[in-house]
């Protein structure tokens, strides 16, 4: 796996530079238009558009990375020598702190049919069957310990979506509870407060 990333590192850098140049050029044009456009909520519009564009840029970089290395491995001599393609375009969606990451990857099977794996999942360390990435889980658990699991599940993905997004997902509180148990997060016990009848 590491041999694939080393062999194609220069090609990948050039691809990413080209993609980033286009994204930043568009982002700059939009920012200048927002600055020059006369409006009452100019600052808010600049912030919301910047947030949108930066989140889209991160998702684009992730998708480009996945597509690039998945294609390179699929066409490599190493893969052709030892593995068959079992599923060519397997769809996967993961909720991240930058928004929804939707991508396609290849599922491989060894020629002796003993090994099955997704190259891209192994390369990037993506957890099997996970619908939420580790940063979303950590944020949800952190907020749940300070408030409650229901509020955390409603707030986290809403916060992570852009201002202009119309689709706000909710993480079920049972899911957050399962993460808390799996990660063995200690429950905080607060000392009771003595309140007299005149204290609000």
């Amino acid at each position: 796996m590491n041999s694939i990333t080393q062999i194609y590192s220069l090609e990948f850098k050039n691809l990413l530079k080209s993609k980033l140049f286009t994204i930043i050029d568009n982002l700059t044009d939009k920012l200048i238009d927002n600055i020059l456009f006369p409006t009452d909520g100019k600052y808010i519009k600049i912030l919301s558009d910047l947030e949108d564009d930066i989140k889209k840029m991160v998702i684009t970089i992730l998708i480009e990375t996945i597509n690039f290395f998945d294609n390179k491995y699929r066409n490599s001599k190493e893969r052709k020598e030892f593995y068959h393609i079992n599923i060519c375009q397997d769809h996967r969606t993961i909720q991240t702190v930058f928004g929804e990451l939707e991508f396609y990857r290849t599922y491989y099977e060894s020629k002796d049919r003993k090994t099955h794996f997704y190259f891209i999942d192994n390369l990037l360390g993506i957890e099997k069957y996970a619908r939420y990435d580790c940063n979303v889980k950590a944020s949800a658990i952190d907020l749940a310990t300070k408030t409650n699991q229901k509020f955390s599940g409603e707030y986290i993905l809403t916060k992570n979506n852009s201002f202009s997004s119309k689709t706000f997902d909710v993480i079920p509180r049972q899911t957050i509870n399962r993460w808390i148990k799996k990660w063995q997060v200690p429950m905080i016990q607060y000392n009771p407060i003595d309140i007299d009848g005149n204290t609000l």
Side-chain angles (χ1 to χ4, degrees):
M1 268 183 227
N2 287 335
S3 62
I4 295 291
T5 54
Q6 287 169 356
I7 291 166
Y8 296 107
S9 61
L10 184 60
E11 188 182 341
F12 177 64
K13 279 181 189 176
N14 291 333
L15 170 79
L16 220 50
K17 280 178 187 175
S18 169
K19 189 61 87 172
L20 283 171
F21 178 80
T22 306
I23 291 169
I24 290 169
D25 191 48
N26 292 336
L27 188 150
T28 308
D29 289 344
K30 196 170 176 183
L31 183 58
I32 289 166
D33 288 345
N34 280 341
I35 290 168
L36 297 176
F37 188 76
T39 178
D40 292 338
K42 184 185 284 191
Y43 180 69
I44 295 295
K45 179 156 176 52
I46 288 169
L47 277 184
S48 64
D49 283 357
L50 266 176
E51 182 189 31
D52 270 0
D53 291 337
I54 289 167
K55 285 181 177 181
K56 283 175 189 169
M57 180 175 70
V58 172
I59 295 294
T60 300
I61 290 168
L62 284 169
I63 291 169
E64 288 293 329
T65 303
I66 288 165
N67 290 341
F68 180 86
F69 286 110
D70 199 40
N71 287 333
K72 291 300 178 187
Y73 184 74
R74 188 189 309 133
N75 297 314
S76 69
K77 288 180 183 177
E78 178 188 335
R79 195 281 301 168
K80 289 175 181 176
E81 187 177 346
F82 299 108
Y83 302 99
H84 294 295
I85 294 172
N86 190 302
I87 303 170
C88 191
Q89 290 275 298
D90 195 24
H91 178 261
R92 184 162 187 190
T93 305
I94 300 174
Q95 289 289 345
T96 76
V97 293
F98 301 103
E100 189 176 75
L101 174 64
E102 187 176 5
F103 60 96
Y104 295 87
R105 78 264 206 248
T106 311
Y107 188 55
Y108 299 101
E109 176 184 63
S110 61
K111 290 189 175 179
D112 62 6
R113 302 193 183 278
K114 290 182 180 176
T115 309
H116 298 79
F117 70 103
Y118 290 102
F119 170 77
I120 209 67
D121 289 14
N122 292 349
L123 180 69
L124 300 181
I126 300 172
E127 194 180 335
K128 277 184 183 179
Y129 312 115
R131 291 183 57 226
Y132 307 93
D133 80 357
C134 53
N135 292 316
V136 170
K137 290 178 183 179
S139 298
I141 289 169
D142 181 51
L143 187 59
T145 58
K146 293 171 184 168
T147 56
N148 62 62
Q149 292 161 17
K150 184 177 184 296
F151 175 77
S152 175
E154 291 169 354
Y155 177 77
I156 288 298
L157 292 183
T158 305
K159 176 182 78 80
N160 292 333
N161 273 295
S162 60
F163 292 130
S164 61
S165 178
K166 293 183 176 118
T167 58
F168 294 127
D169 247 338
V170 172
I171 304 171
R173 62 182 177 183
Q174 296 91 339
T175 301
I176 296 174
N177 188 43
R178 200 165 54 246
W179 296 341
I180 289 170
K181 286 179 179 174
K182 183 179 177 183
W183 289 9
Q184 299 178 344
V185 178
M187 297 308 293
I188 301 167
Q189 297 294 326
Y190 295 99
N191 294 327
I193 301 170
D194 292 329
I195 301 173
D196 62 40
N198 299 320
T199 304
L200 181 63

